[in-house]
Amino acid sequence: MPSIPTGLDSGRGGAELWTAGALDREQHRKLSVAVRVSDAQGLAATHRLTVLVDDLNDNPMKPAAKSVYLWKTQGGGSDAPLGRVFVKDPDDWDLEDKEFEWVGPPHPLFTLHPRDGTIFASNQIREGRYDLQFSVSDRAWRQRGVAANVTVMVRVLTPEALAHAAPISLTPTTPTALTRGWSPSSGGGGLGSLLKEVQAVLNEPGSGVEVVSVYGGCGNPDSSATPITTPTSTPAAPVPAPVPAPSSPSTCVWVSVKDSHNSFMNPVKLQGLLALHTRQVRERERERERG
């Protein structure tokens, strides 16, 4: 309950806000509280306070795995960040207790940062599947060698695919939430539902919708590589959130469409059709998020 001590703010008074009990970051990472302030003359104002709950390393790790779908353009580009090595751990502020290392010799086309577990793919990487094995240690829990495997699926985008792509902007959602449960071969998840919606509104028999890029915000797609990460584990693990998400996150999905003859749809036509139906697609995606 708030109290009104007179000694705060150089004698002008103030308020102290206390929690009714202990807070657990695994249950509430951020709390928002509206506080109404009024004076003896009847003037009043409402202020909203945001409380960020700190994290303690109070959970042991469990083995996990993730799949990363890397879309890259022909002709190299820069090394592509693939995110962090993934273990099942509700704690997300405990990197200083962790160490990451390869199981066996390092793969020559990938780089691992041992302190924060970030993985980079070389600009020389080719299309195909790469199975990477890592282990993670946690000094606080005295855990060593917890398995954390990463499968990287690389697809090379042709200049033609990029030239015929058009964007769809979705708010509020994040790339992680949108791609959870999705794969290029079987669809699924929010991204799979989105592609079905696009297919329906285009109403082009025999056509196919392909993902070119997925990333936060909306601008031109990365000219070198775009990773799409889908965490999984045994058993299934939640998606980690090492960085607090913005209050109104947005995601940009670039798609291209091929007809029954494997020819790309004209990008001007595609963008026009998407513009006509963007509101419909966004509303159905919001309904899916709420459901």
Side-chain angles (χ1 to χ4, degrees):
M1 295 292 294
S3 60
I4 311 297
T6 58
L8 294 179
D9 196 15
S10 302
R12 290 188 291 269
E16 290 181 343
L17 190 67
W18 297 79
T19 62
L23 299 179
D24 186 351
R25 181 174 170 81
E26 276 71 60
Q27 296 180 358
H28 304 286
R29 298 187 177 194
K30 183 169 67 173
L31 298 172
S32 181
V33 181
V35 178
R36 179 179 171 82
V37 182
S38 59
D39 63 12
Q41 303 301 317
L43 296 176
T46 300
H47 298 271
R48 184 163 292 278
L49 303 178
T50 299
V51 180
L52 297 178
V53 182
D54 203 349
D55 190 27
L56 297 175
N57 189 357
D58 55 355
N59 294 278
M61 299 181 293
K62 294 181 180 180
K66 76 174 182 180
S67 297
V68 180
Y69 303 98
L70 178 63
W71 274 238
K72 73 181 299 287
T73 57
Q74 294 176 333
S78 59
D79 290 355
L82 303 180
R84 288 208 333 242
V85 172
F86 178 59
V87 287
K88 186 178 181 181
D89 189 346
D91 304 314
D92 56 1
W93 287 5
D94 61 350
L95 271 179
E96 62 181 18
D97 296 327
K98 286 183 166 55
E99 291 183 355
F100 304 81
E101 59 184 350
W102 289 92
V103 174
H107 195 290
L109 294 176
F110 296 88
T111 301
L112 170 69
H113 287 190
R115 291 299 307 146
D116 63 12
T118 304
I119 315 167
F120 287 83
S122 167
N123 61 1
Q124 301 300 315
I125 198 168
R126 296 184 178 182
E127 190 164 284
R129 173 185 173 127
Y130 300 84
D131 295 308
L132 311 177
Q133 294 183 319
F134 303 97
S135 68
V136 186
S137 301
D138 189 316
R139 288 187 293 273
W141 284 89
R142 298 183 180 179
Q143 289 179 287
R144 295 197 60 83
V146 174
N149 299 330
V150 178
T151 299
V152 183
M153 302 292 293
V154 181
R155 174 187 169 195
V156 175
L157 292 171
T158 64
E160 187 180 16
L162 289 174
H164 289 81
I168 304 170
S169 179
L170 300 172
T171 303
T173 190
T174 63
T176 299
L178 186 65
T179 59
R180 185 184 296 119
W182 173 84
S183 72
S185 59
S186 58
L191 184 55
S193 298
L194 174 66
L195 298 181
K196 288 181 180 179
E197 291 296 333
V198 173
Q199 182 79 60
V201 300
L202 292 179
N203 193 25
E204 293 282 336
S207 65
V209 182
E210 296 186 351
V211 178
V212 172
S213 181
V214 179
Y215 57 91
C218 209
N220 290 328
D222 191 313
S223 60
S224 57
T226 302
I228 302 174
T229 305
T230 305
T232 58
S233 74
T234 307
V239 177
V243 180
S247 56
S248 296
S250 63
T251 298
C252 193
V253 182
W254 285 73
V255 297
S256 62
V257 176
K258 284 187 174 181
D259 61 22
S260 58
H261 301 291
N262 207 34
S263 297
F264 284 102
M265 177 182 288
N266 183 294
V268 176
K269 177 182 178 181
L270 174 58
Q271 191 144 6
L273 289 171
L274 291 177
L276 286 174
H277 299 281
T278 292
R279 182 176 180 180
Q280 175 185 342
V281 172
R282 287 175 177 170
E283 285 299 323
R284 291 192 181 180
E285 176 58 24
R286 290 194 187 104
E287 290 176 3
R288 188 199 64 82
E289 287 280 327
R290 289 192 294 266

